[in-house]
Amino acid sequence: MKTVLNPVHARHAASHEFFRGRLVPAHEIPQRADHILAAVQAAGLGPVLEPVDHGLAPIERVHAPRYLRFLEGAHAEWRALGGEGDAFPAVWPVRTLRSDVEPRNFAARMGLYSMDSGTPLTAGSFEAAVAGAQCALTGLDLLHAGERAAYVLTRPPGHHAGADFFGGYCFVNHAAVAAQAARDAGAQRVAILDVDYHHGNGTQAIFYGRGDVFYASLHGDPMTELPFYLGHADETGEGAGEGANLNLPLPAGTDAPRWFAALDRALDRLRAWGPDLLVVSLGVDTYEHDPISHFKLAESDFPEIGRRVAALGRPTLWVQEGGYATEAIGRNVVGVLRGFEQA
Ligand code: OKP
Ligand code: ZN
């Protein structure tokens, strides 16, 4: 399997994140991708390619142009106002406040375009995230050229990013950009399977009213896990999208037998729906030793994910999302991909 590596991922390098009122060392760090790359090479998974630049147009098919413009200049604005280090939002337009008017004040715009204070915005965040989307688009090109699968090795992750907001460590929704680009290239039905520990609220919201892109996710129950305000089982899509969204929230402590039972439910639905192409949001923060998550998959369980996804028999784009046990992340990711290849 070919890997498309984001060559500028390390330009997004947060030193700290907020956790229980304190700044603690960031979890979402460049070393994550370094460990994955080392494992890809050690396993001889296949060639590692650079992305081809597809420009901003395919990203604007998913993200609001005014959001992207804000993101591009946000860190410079923060610095110009005397902000030090990474930028964080402090105020949000919650219920009864207006989000249709874009304020001039910088802090107000930070809040308008974000979901949480847990996502440090650094000088290179925009560049790294946009390059991640280019990797996803390049991976899609590989499928169009006849590859059975491709792996997009990028960070920061993407599935929490909505059409016009960042959050949950995410800025640009790479999986959504790829799914939309696949539709624009002629695929009639695209499925996104999200196996990250967290619900991909951004991806779900982007396609919620559409019947041409199915979003299926198994994840930590939002009653206790980020993104908290989306990801419940009763969210089944709306309008033309009714029936094209599947959420399988699972309790903390979920072990491999129960997790794979949920994966099979999701795969059964996708099989019945019949996608032309599959995008997998591949988070491995379901790992038992992940520092911020609470599922119980062992390293030896990850290849089985690849095997079961392979049984769907669709061209598959694997897009990297979470996974914060940095030392193990490479083995877990490559385990999935080799399981797929050997199936
Ligand atoms: C992104 B992805 C710990 C709180 C963590 C953010 C989690 C984002 C996960 N300090 N909050 O879905 O892996
Ligand atoms: Zn996650």
Side-chain angles (χ1 to χ4, degrees):
M1 187 183 310
K2 289 178 177 158
T3 294
V4 187
L5 170 67
N6 182 343
V8 297
H9 74 82
R11 292 188 196 173
H12 175 70
S15 57
H16 292 84
E17 66 182 49
F18 278 112
F19 183 64
R20 297 186 181 146
R22 286 212 153 74
L23 281 168
V24 303
H27 286 105
E28 202 293 287
I29 50 175
Q31 286 83 346
R32 295 178 60 244
D34 299 341
H35 279 273
I36 298 172
L37 178 61
V40 162
Q41 289 170 334
L45 186 72
V48 177
L49 313 177
E50 293 241 325
V52 173
D53 187 9
H54 292 64
L56 279 183
I59 302 176
E60 291 183 347
R61 293 282 292 140
V62 161
H63 291 288
R66 74 172 195 174
Y67 165 64
L68 295 171
R69 276 197 302 276
F70 169 78
L71 211 54
E72 182 168 24
H75 196 265
E77 282 195 72
W78 165 262
R79 292 297 299 274
L81 289 167
E84 277 181 36
D86 303 336
F88 293 91
V91 60
W92 289 274
V94 299
R95 293 157 302 286
T96 73
L97 301 180
R98 287 180 64 174
S99 53
D100 59 321
V101 182
E102 186 187 68
R104 263 195 294 280
N105 179 280
F106 173 73
R109 274 180 291 127
M110 270 297 267
L112 179 64
Y113 293 125
S114 70
M115 176 177 110
D116 65 9
S117 68
T119 308
L121 193 155
T122 79
S125 298
F126 177 77
E127 204 183 342
V130 165
Q134 303 304 341
C135 293
L137 292 162
T138 303
L140 181 64
D141 290 342
L142 294 173
L143 300 192
H144 289 153
E147 298 281 343
R148 173 182 174 227
Y151 170 55
V152 178
L153 203 187
T154 193
R155 54 163 295 283
H159 69 155
H160 298 299
D164 64 355
F165 61 86
F166 66 91
Y169 304 157
C170 303
F171 299 90
V172 168
N173 196 316
H174 317 113
V177 168
Q180 181 61 50
R183 283 283 295 117
D184 292 341
Q188 291 304 303
R189 289 156 94 77
V190 177
I192 301 173
L193 172 65
D194 191 330
V195 299
D196 186 280
Y197 176 78
H198 304 91
H199 175 255
N201 60 283
T203 316
Q204 170 173 311
I206 286 164
F207 298 113
Y208 203 62
R210 290 170 47 174
D212 57 338
V213 180
F214 196 116
Y215 178 74
S217 177
L218 42 158
H219 49 265
D221 191 331
M223 292 299 277
T224 59
E225 300 302 312
L226 185 115
F228 305 120
Y229 311 108
L230 209 67
H232 298 285
D234 65 353
E235 298 156 15
T236 56
E238 69 186 7
E242 184 60 59
N245 197 88
L246 175 69
N247 284 329
L248 299 169
L250 301 165
T254 292
D255 59 7
R258 286 180 294 168
W259 192 87
F260 279 104
L263 179 65
D264 285 345
R265 281 185 62 193
L267 289 170
D268 286 347
R269 280 289 295 281
L270 296 184
R271 193 170 286 113
W273 193 72
D276 300 321
L277 184 138
L278 177 69
V279 177
V280 183
S281 271
L282 176 59
V284 293
D285 41 8
T286 47
Y287 180 48
E288 57 186 339
H289 300 304
D290 193 275
I292 68 170
S293 309
H294 305 100
F295 287 170
K296 297 277 168 265
L297 297 198
E299 188 177 322
S300 57
D301 291 321
F302 285 95
E304 184 63 18
I305 301 176
R307 283 194 283 272
R308 295 199 191 189
V309 170
L312 209 56
R314 307 317 306 168
T316 301
L317 185 66
W318 297 89
V319 179
Q320 186 63 47
E321 302 281 1
Y324 307 99
T326 302
E327 182 270 332
I329 187 174
R331 294 193 300 276
N332 291 338
V333 167
V334 170
V336 175
L337 301 175
R338 297 198 66 175
F340 179 93
E341 284 219 307
Q342 290 166 359

